[in-house]
Amino acid sequence: MTALRRLGSALFAPAIAVVFAVVITALVILLIGENPTTALRVLFDFGDSPAQQTQAIVVILNRAVPLFLAGLAVSVAFRMGLFNIGVEGQYRMATVLAAGAGAAVALPAPLHILLVIVVAMAVGALWAAIVAILKVTRGVSEVISSIMLNFIALGTASWLLTGPLRGSEEGAAIITTKDLPESGQFPGLNGLFDVIGLAQPRGELYGFLIVAVLVGIAISVLLKRTRFGFDLRATGLSPSAATASGIDARAMVVKTMLISGAIAGLIGLPDLMGRTHHFGTEFTAGLGFLGIAVALLGRNSPLGIAFAALLFAFLDRAAVPLQFADIPASVVTIIQGTIVLAVVIANEIARQITRRRAEGDSGQAGPPAPESPPGGPAGTAGSRIDEPQGAQS
Amino acid sequence: MTKTAALLLAGGLALSACASDEDGGDGGGSGGGSEGTLKVGVAYDTGGRGDKSFNDSAIAGVEAAVQALGGDVDEDIEELSPNEDDSNREELLTQLAENDFNPVIAVGFAYGDIIADIAADYPDTQFAIVDTSVEDLGVDNLTGLIFAEEEGSFLAGVAAASKSVTGHLGFVGGQQSPLIEKFEAGYVAGAKAVKPDIIVDVTYLSPAGDGSGFGDPEGGKVAAQGMYQAGADIVFHAAGGSGEGVFEAAVEAGQRAIGVDSDQYLSASPDQQAVIMTSMLKRVDLAVEEYLNSFADDSLESGTDILNDLSTEGVGLSESGGYIDDIQDVIADFRQQIIDGDVEVPTTP
Amino acid sequence: MAEGPAGAHAAAAGTGDAPYAVELRGITKRFPGVVANRDIELRVRRGEVHAIVGENGAGKSTLMKTLYGMHRPDEGTILLDGRETTLRSPADAIAAGIGMVHQHFMLADNFTVLENVVLGSEPTRGGRLDRAEARRRIREISQRYALNLDPDVLVEELGVGDRQRVEIAKVLYRGATTLILDEPTAVLVPQEVDELFGNLAELTREGLTVIFISHKLDEVRKVADSITVIRRGTTVGSADPRTTTARQLAEMMVGSELPSPQTRTSTVRETPVLELRGVTVASLGGRPAVDDVSLTVREGEVVGIAGVEGNGQAELVDAIMGLRPAEGVVVLGGEDISGWSTRARREAGVGFVPEDRHRQGMLLEAPLWENRILGHQTRPPAVKGPFIDRTAARADTERIMRDYDVRAPGPDTLAVALSGGNQQKLIVGREMSAAPRLLIAAHPTRGVDVGAQSAIWELLKDARAEGMGILLISADLDELIGLSDTLQVMLRGRLVATLDPSSLTPEELGGHMTGASDGAVGAL
């Protein structure tokens, strides 16, 4: 099978899903009496001036970075069959504590940034480790425990914010932690626009984009090229075969959740280190759940998740201009929802097609999955105890 | 590694390329308003238009002002709602400013931490923000529309304590934030001013940083049920949509409740009208209308706050249903004392 | 019982120039990367039972799918009753009088026989199911072909044999004159097999034609009027069941002289590879699954564990592999490995061919080269430090495919695409590649075809000759007797007898396994 064909079949399902979602959304827009082509034009209209256009790109990329990290965190666990719903709580805890730690110390810039990142990853990992430990020692489903921990994270983060880590004045409408000092803020990437000759946008492109790309590459290498990644994927494909091959399933659960949680810890950092510089009541919540959708859309591969995050962010950007065109912003949510739903269905169909094709490949067209029942298609010479009629003639 | 980076970059370039291909840009503001009339941009709080509360109150004020000034409600007002996780608030304000809407009104304190920067970036546009003080920010083209919620809540507390038979009251807050704590502080102070030994149960439906407490009728109902069972006979809610649950609990318990922001008696079902004793009014509509009028006749002093309190009738108590008619003199008495400064109402519990 | 009428029929229908009920000429079917069927020639007379035999993966299923309209051949023609026919879908095939009885039944348990039979072709009267008419026709079919079906019984109450007859009735109800039965005896017990053959005789007596797919040669010889053999995707000849032995048929299928499991001279050396001392595996409540088992496997020795399934063999294997907590001592080459992890045991030189290859031996949705790595994640050539060496893994997979005759397009093929025999050969090849000291082979030839079976036997024999110790767990008594140097019989978790396979018949061994000759200790 050529690489091109494999790529083709990998892109086929998402492409169909996107087309399907666009059709559904167009119908919805028609139904509410607006013009679908207007909506489509708005999606691709990045504004008149060069600065507006680069600004649109910044908005998309800045939104895509946390979405990508969230999708990645979910996908790592998902690759080995764990459903980490707790990403939401993990990044909330990580962000509040990283904000608190970052504001509490004074360090030279690179070290300070590193400290914030390390604290966030460690907290995310530890929060996820609770789920893992409950699973391997007590057999608690990770879905249940991580949902519970999301609630606990919400309350704990709120207590930390209003109590020990409070930085805003009494009575201020928005409660925040203390601001990160300059040395703990991640520099933006707007210099890049000068380099490639684009106009300077109003906003700042998150420097954390680079971290996200590096993490994506690292995870991609980890999953595809390392022994550990092999163990992880093997466990996801068949826990019983993985165990028989010598993989310690319990250790894998813990390690995988630690990695997933560590990545989750990064989700809140682009905003924290690039824009708000504090954790507060206006913290962007819900990215952990969006991450599930992004991971599904990206079929759990880092590159796919990058595309999925960009697509979601691209659609999210249109939420404001759509309202200018008198089309409700919820159209964006409808498109995103239908894409994910369609992708789930399309993936399943595509999987069946590739599997069928694979079966065709070796000329073994029959369904091989249900192996012969005991005493089934045996050799001629077999005289099995459970097949007494098969005596040699 | 370089491959992925190149892809990202290429993606970005491709996107910008299609952007430049587009010439029209007529997805932008309709720009139909004739010279001289107002073109008002409104950025809503979570929930957007149709929340029967805060946002609706704000837009009512905008529409009233625009109509009074001879403008067209459809043409001259642009309303934008934030997305579900509120992550694009900044975009709402900048887009409104970029599309030449002036003034731009941000509904809700959630815009508080970004609006100063944006206002500074667009010095020719006037900005206003509801529920946030801007006096210390030093931005000339920004006005804070703030309310003395504690004063109105104080009167609610006075009314509740005067009417309570059991000497036991309840307060259900949406989110435990400084804003809602002002309601609590005023309410408790008002109640104690009437009956110093009165008990007030206080519950918040969600902690700081979690807005779910404003949209959780079930949680509101459970909280209020607990209070009624513990002996409370009047519960005041400052919990947005969750208040619906408080009213239900009141109907079931045969006790009373106090609404918030608008006169909730008017929008309630008949059986709930029987229990909504009064509502603590917070006239966002009036505040916005006033602001727009002063903008239109150039009397606006921006860079400062406009305080709406009892004296401006920006806050107060509703009288629909006539449940508090018999204690109007008590209420009027306290109102006057507050306006005169004889009674200091606390803003934190 | 099947011979008489069927044979007579074959003679009657085979004479003269009457057109064949089914004739395939030069059928070729290609899938990407592989030719599944090549120049298939098949001639089936009306009113006969025609068997198609071949190894797993030889192309029988592809051929039957062609005939049932599930895909179209790339070349060649299909003639039904002498007329050239194009079958675009199973519906076309049904309309042409061809019916298929699948190996895996497709019946709804909570429906009655009647409902299952008419499902999809319901007789209606005024839009409602005409039960009376359906019942009448099913009774008629049942009577005519002695299917003995009660239309109003729920399918869930029926045994396997009855269910199969429901499937047959379903096909007949749709007016089939040619029935394809895909491995129909695979799910039946001997008595049911005889009943089925009786039914087939009834069918052919009424002039219907039966195409019978199997690789159980004894059965084929019993029931078929004529036989076509398929090997590697093409028809290699036909045989007359009355004059051909099972062994000759098997040789046609494999294309070479058939090996026997018999081992050559003893290669047993002194050094023990594996010693078990008092190994006990607890089970949930009651008797331990493995009860105080002690045994020794020496270099160059095959120790066979015989026993009716479920007597603790699987648990014993798990205990040796470290997959299940156990008491007692496991010694590998002089080192106590009782507390070691599965991975450490594998690294120390234990190879493992698991009983259920889909559950424990393979990643079905992963390519072959990744399956090459499975169980060998810490060892070269597929792994370099913490990294996977994809090039080396692919290359070594190609080597295994070559050396162990694994038939697949390439190392990137998904494991699920391989036939059971080829999967098993890949597993055996993989385990052998690490040159283990000890091989745990649990049912190594279960569910594989003759060719793969003999290949695997040869591999085990070669490994033994090179000094590998092998613990062989099997239900195939010939395999056990033929390969083992020592036989242990396992009954209710205990080793109850040690037997010398050189002086043992399968019948004697069977007696020990069921406890009939309890306490008997063979001469060693």
Side-chain angles (χ1 to χ4, degrees):
Chain A
M1 195 188 290
T2 65
L4 198 67
R5 201 175 121 191
R6 222 177 309 157
L7 186 70
S9 63
L11 290 180
F12 178 72
I16 290 286
V18 168
V19 170
F20 175 74
V22 166
V23 170
I24 294 281
T25 316
L27 289 177
V28 171
I29 295 173
L30 275 178
L31 215 65
I32 59 173
E34 299 289 342
N35 187 349
T37 54
T38 313
L40 201 63
R41 206 170 54 234
V42 170
L43 273 180
F44 289 98
D45 180 6
F46 281 11
D48 302 331
S49 71
Q52 282 175 341
Q53 290 164 6
T54 42
Q55 172 64 15
I57 294 171
V58 168
V59 167
I60 291 172
L61 287 178
N62 282 358
R63 174 72 170 164
V65 168
L67 282 175
F68 171 71
L69 290 168
L72 206 58
V74 172
S75 75
V76 167
F78 208 76
R79 273 295 184 94
M80 80 157 265
L82 287 171
F83 207 28
N84 185 6
I85 284 187
V87 168
E88 183 70 22
Q90 287 147 23
Y91 90 88
R92 185 179 283 264
M93 287 302 293
T95 312
V96 67
L97 285 170
V105 298
L107 283 170
L111 280 180
H112 203 152
I113 289 172
L114 193 66
L115 173 91
V116 174
I117 294 177
V118 167
V119 168
M121 291 180 83
V123 172
L126 283 176
W127 203 251
I130 302 174
V131 174
I133 288 165
L134 283 173
K135 188 177 175 74
V136 297
T137 59
R138 289 278 168 268
V140 182
S141 154
E142 76 275 10
V143 175
I144 309 286
S145 60
S146 56
I147 288 175
M148 292 302 147
L149 277 166
N150 282 347
F151 283 109
I152 299 175
L154 200 61
T156 313
S158 177
W159 173 78
L160 285 168
L161 175 63
T162 51
L165 298 180
R166 187 176 189 132
S168 54
E169 297 164 35
E170 279 300 315
I174 299 176
I175 308 173
T176 63
T177 59
K178 280 206 203 73
D179 272 13
L180 292 180
E182 188 99 23
S183 57
Q185 301 176 1
F186 212 105
L189 287 179
N190 280 15
L192 203 64
F193 293 105
D194 291 334
V195 175
I196 54 176
L198 289 176
Q200 277 293 332
R202 208 191 73 79
E204 187 81 18
L205 178 60
Y206 287 159
F208 215 80
L209 175 66
I210 293 170
V211 178
V213 170
L214 290 178
V215 170
I217 292 165
I219 292 300
S220 186
V221 169
L222 182 80
L223 285 177
K224 283 202 198 126
R225 304 283 168 138
T226 67
R227 243 166 61 188
F228 176 81
F230 180 86
D231 286 359
L232 188 150
R233 286 184 295 121
T235 313
L237 285 173
S238 168
S240 52
T243 312
S245 83
I247 298 168
D248 182 343
R250 287 157 29 125
M252 283 307 295
V253 168
V254 175
K255 287 180 198 166
T256 305
M257 283 304 280
L258 284 175
I259 293 175
S260 176
I263 302 170
L266 298 174
I267 297 171
L269 295 192
D271 278 346
L272 173 69
M273 303 177 85
R275 185 168 60 91
T276 61
H277 304 133
H278 53 238
F279 177 91
T281 42
E282 295 314 303
F283 171 72
T284 303
L287 290 170
F289 300 119
L290 277 179
I292 297 172
V294 171
L296 273 174
L297 186 59
R299 303 178 82 183
N300 291 317
S301 99
L303 192 59
I305 292 169
F307 279 118
L310 282 170
L311 178 62
F312 263 53
F314 168 74
L315 292 169
D316 275 336
R317 183 210 68 95
V320 178
L322 275 175
Q323 294 184 67
F324 276 110
D326 288 329
I327 296 171
S330 40
V331 162
V332 168
T333 319
I334 296 174
I335 302 182
Q336 290 172 339
T338 21
I339 288 180
V340 171
L341 198 64
V343 154
V344 173
I345 298 166
N347 271 353
E348 189 51 36
I349 294 170
R351 202 180 65 86
Q352 281 172 9
I353 290 174
T354 32
R355 190 167 163 148
R356 206 168 300 152
R357 195 182 290 156
E359 282 162 16
D361 267 352
S362 74
Q364 161 84 359
E371 250 315 305
S372 49
T380 46
S383 61
R384 299 191 163 168
I385 195 70
D386 49 356
E387 190 191 66
Q389 87 282 5
Q392 288 269 17
S393 52
Chain B
M1 156 170 193
T2 45
K3 206 166 49 173
T4 319
L7 270 170
L8 280 172
L9 204 58
L13 288 174
L15 290 173
S16 73
C18 18
S20 353
D21 286 347
E22 283 291 331
D23 47 353
D26 50 356
S30 46
S34 51
E35 281 300 313
T37 59
L38 286 176
K39 269 186 77 187
V40 186
V42 178
Y44 284 125
D45 202 354
T46 318
R49 186 170 197 157
D51 68 345
K52 291 188 179 171
S53 170
F54 207 52
N55 292 317
D56 280 359
S57 185
I59 196 67
V62 175
E63 285 178 352
V66 168
Q67 266 166 345
L69 294 164
D72 185 309
V73 177
D74 289 327
E75 292 287 308
D76 297 327
I77 305 174
E78 185 61 58
E79 315 151 44
L80 299 182
S81 300
N83 62 0
E84 261 163 56
D85 58 13
D86 286 351
S87 57
N88 65 349
R89 288 181 184 275
E90 213 170 318
E91 276 299 294
L92 301 188
L93 297 183
T94 53
Q95 292 283 330
L96 286 170
E98 296 234 333
N99 286 283
D100 299 327
F101 287 94
N102 189 15
V104 172
I105 300 173
V107 182
F109 65 79
Y111 290 95
D113 61 346
I114 53 169
I115 197 164
D117 290 345
I118 294 166
D121 283 354
Y122 297 95
D124 298 334
T125 306
Q126 281 290 341
F127 290 84
I129 177 165
V130 177
D131 271 354
T132 295
S133 166
V134 303
E135 241 157 21
D136 300 336
L137 299 175
V139 183
D140 288 340
N141 55 331
L142 177 59
T143 306
L145 305 178
I146 57 174
F147 296 83
E149 291 92 350
E150 71 282 2
E151 293 184 1
S153 302
F154 187 95
L155 295 189
V158 168
S162 308
K163 283 286 186 181
S164 174
V165 179
T166 58
H168 191 156
L169 303 176
F171 172 80
V172 175
Q175 183 188 168
Q176 185 148 25
S177 61
L179 175 67
I180 304 302
E181 283 174 349
K182 280 163 84 180
F183 289 82
E184 181 203 336
Y187 179 67
V188 174
K192 300 229 184 236
V194 176
K195 287 185 187 159
D197 59 345
I198 199 161
I199 305 168
V200 186
D201 289 341
V202 175
T203 298
Y204 286 90
L205 299 178
S206 63
D210 171 15
S212 65
F214 291 115
D216 179 15
E218 201 48 46
K221 184 171 179 179
V222 171
Q225 274 173 341
M227 293 172 177
Y228 289 126
Q229 276 159 19
D233 56 356
I234 298 170
V235 175
F236 173 38
H237 89 85
S242 311
E244 181 67 20
V246 174
F247 296 148
E248 278 176 32
V251 170
E252 283 175 19
Q255 303 290 3
R256 287 190 168 159
I258 300 176
V260 78
D261 289 350
S262 62
D263 185 352
Q264 295 200 287
Y265 178 90
L266 299 178
S267 56
S269 61
D271 53 343
Q272 288 186 357
Q273 285 182 340
V275 300
I276 301 177
M277 187 175 94
T278 177
S279 296
M280 198 293 273
L281 301 174
K282 177 173 169 182
R283 301 296 301 269
V284 177
D285 51 344
L286 287 185
V288 170
E289 199 179 342
E290 282 296 311
Y291 168 78
L292 289 176
N293 286 336
S294 56
F295 175 83
D297 62 20
D298 277 338
S299 65
L300 179 65
E301 265 186 64
S302 57
T304 170
D305 294 332
I306 300 174
L307 176 64
N308 300 274
D309 58 10
L310 285 175
S311 63
T312 66
E313 300 200 346
V315 294
L317 285 189
S318 71
E319 292 159 23
S320 305
Y323 298 109
I324 55 168
D325 287 354
D326 53 334
I327 52 168
Q328 278 305 334
D329 50 338
V330 185
I331 293 169
D333 188 31
F334 275 108
R335 176 185 284 126
Q336 199 52 49
Q337 289 187 50
I338 294 169
I339 292 171
D340 295 344
D342 297 337
V343 170
E344 276 287 319
V345 183
T347 55
T348 51
Chain C
M1 131 181 210
E3 297 271 345
H9 247 281
T15 52
D17 298 329
Y20 292 104
V22 176
E23 183 175 0
L24 303 183
R25 289 185 192 157
I27 294 287
T28 297
K29 177 70 191 171
R30 294 183 197 88
F31 290 109
V34 77
V35 182
N37 279 157
R38 179 168 38 88
D39 288 331
I40 293 273
E41 300 285 335
L42 178 70
R43 286 177 191 82
V44 181
R45 293 185 196 87
R46 174 139 306 286
E48 72 168 354
V49 175
H50 192 107
I52 296 178
V53 299
E55 301 180 60
N56 281 343
K60 299 182 304 251
S61 299
T62 306
L63 177 59
M64 285 309 112
K65 285 187 175 174
T66 305
L67 190 50
Y68 194 49
M70 291 168 83
H71 52 226
R72 292 179 64 182
D74 298 310
E75 288 168 28
T77 46
I78 300 171
L79 289 89
L80 301 177
D81 291 320
R83 281 191 311 278
E84 195 172 327
T85 312
T86 308
L87 301 173
R88 287 183 190 81
S89 67
D92 277 5
I94 291 167
I98 294 175
M100 178 96 151
V101 175
H102 296 274
Q103 181 178 358
H104 302 281
F105 303 147
M106 298 170 176
L107 299 174
D109 270 1
N110 50 353
F111 278 21
T112 63
V113 169
L114 181 147
E115 287 162 341
N116 267 293
V117 168
V118 302
L119 199 66
S121 58
E122 297 89 345
T124 51
R125 198 168 53 191
R128 289 177 55 226
L129 175 61
D130 187 350
R131 283 178 180 270
E133 168 65 11
R135 191 171 289 115
R136 193 189 59 73
R137 282 193 53 201
I138 293 169
R139 287 235 165 85
E140 185 189 301
I141 288 169
S142 174
Q143 222 154 29
R144 188 151 156 213
Y145 304 107
L147 294 176
N148 195 21
L149 289 174
D150 178 352
D152 296 312
V153 166
L154 282 180
V155 163
E156 64 186 358
E157 291 164 17
L158 297 181
V160 178
D162 288 324
R163 287 174 188 227
Q164 192 167 54
R165 283 197 291 278
V166 175
E167 287 277 11
I168 292 174
K170 206 169 154 179
V171 170
L172 294 173
Y173 186 87
R174 284 158 181 72
T177 52
T178 301
L179 281 77
I180 306 170
L181 279 77
D182 187 9
E183 305 270 1
T185 61
V187 291
L188 303 180
V189 300
Q191 200 206 347
E192 289 171 333
V193 171
D194 288 340
E195 284 175 22
L196 171 68
F197 289 175
N199 292 137
L200 295 188
E202 295 289 336
L203 294 175
T204 50
R205 182 156 53 220
E206 294 291 331
L208 301 185
T209 310
V210 174
I211 298 177
F212 183 98
I213 303 168
S214 182
H215 56 208
K216 290 190 185 169
L217 302 183
D218 294 320
E219 290 172 8
V220 164
R221 288 179 57 251
K222 212 160 150 190
V223 72
D225 301 308
S226 51
I227 300 173
T228 298
V229 181
I230 294 189
R231 184 171 78 227
R232 294 206 169 199
T234 191
T235 39
V236 291
S238 47
D240 185 334
R242 281 156 300 187
T243 58
T244 316
T245 65
R247 199 171 180 83
Q248 285 168 327
L249 271 180
E251 279 165 11
M252 283 178 83
M253 277 165 60
V254 183
S256 61
E257 291 264 312
L258 202 64
S260 76
Q262 247 68 343
T263 48
R264 297 156 288 241
T265 49
S266 169
T267 57
V268 182
R269 304 175 195 176
E270 277 307 300
T271 331
V273 181
L274 175 75
E275 285 176 84
L276 303 181
R277 290 201 286 268
V279 170
T280 301
V281 176
S283 69
L284 284 175
R287 205 160 41 78
V290 176
D291 195 356
D292 194 24
V293 166
S294 300
L295 64 78
T296 303
V297 181
R298 294 183 178 77
E299 283 182 7
E301 182 184 34
V302 177
V303 174
I305 305 275
V308 177
E309 273 184 64
N311 273 282
Q313 300 97 315
E315 289 82 359
L316 179 64
V317 168
D318 283 356
I320 299 171
M321 290 308 300
L323 292 170
R324 195 186 281 264
E327 289 164 43
V329 180
V330 181
V331 178
L332 180 74
E335 216 168 347
D336 183 351
I337 61 165
S338 312
W340 292 17
S341 69
T342 303
R343 176 162 285 170
R345 291 177 199 216
R346 278 180 166 274
E347 283 169 351
V350 182
F352 181 32
V353 178
E355 172 182 347
D356 182 341
R357 59 180 163 269
H358 286 176
R359 215 174 73 77
Q360 293 195 300
M362 306 220 95
L363 304 172
L364 287 174
E365 311 249 353
L368 298 184
W369 68 265
E370 289 197 333
N371 275 291
R372 163 65 185 84
I373 302 171
L374 190 71
H376 304 260
Q377 290 100 314
T378 50
R379 282 170 283 176
V383 171
K384 235 178 354 202
F387 291 100
I388 300 277
D389 187 341
R390 296 172 154 215
T391 320
R394 282 207 179 84
D396 200 56
T397 308
E398 275 171 358
R399 178 191 62 79
I400 292 175
M401 290 168 62
R402 236 180 4 254
D403 291 359
Y404 294 83
D405 190 30
V406 179
R407 290 175 217 165
D412 285 311
T413 311
L414 296 186
V416 70
L418 269 60
S419 69
N422 284 320
Q423 289 175 346
Q424 191 73 355
K425 282 188 282 189
L426 182 78
I427 292 177
V428 172
R430 169 181 82 195
E431 297 302 321
M432 295 294 191
S433 303
R437 281 190 275 184
L438 171 72
L439 182 72
I440 312 287
H443 306 276
T445 60
R446 161 167 291 177
V448 308
D449 51 81
V450 190
Q453 184 181 41
S454 60
I456 291 167
W457 282 339
E458 283 306 313
L459 291 170
L460 295 180
K461 279 185 257 183
D462 293 346
R464 163 183 171 274
E466 282 162 26
M468 191 188 295
I470 298 175
L471 187 69
L472 173 71
I473 293 91
S474 182
D476 182 334
L477 305 189
D478 286 335
E479 179 172 276
L480 279 171
I481 294 172
L483 288 178
S484 304
D485 296 297
T486 310
L487 262 177
Q488 300 275 3
V489 179
M490 201 162 182
L491 184 64
R492 292 187 209 99
R494 306 180 72 96
L495 295 185
V496 294
T498 305
L499 305 170
D500 180 358
S502 62
S503 57
L504 195 68
T505 66
E507 289 71 23
E508 287 167 2
L509 180 54
H512 283 284
M513 286 162 60
T514 53
S517 29
D518 220 357
V521 175
L524 241 194

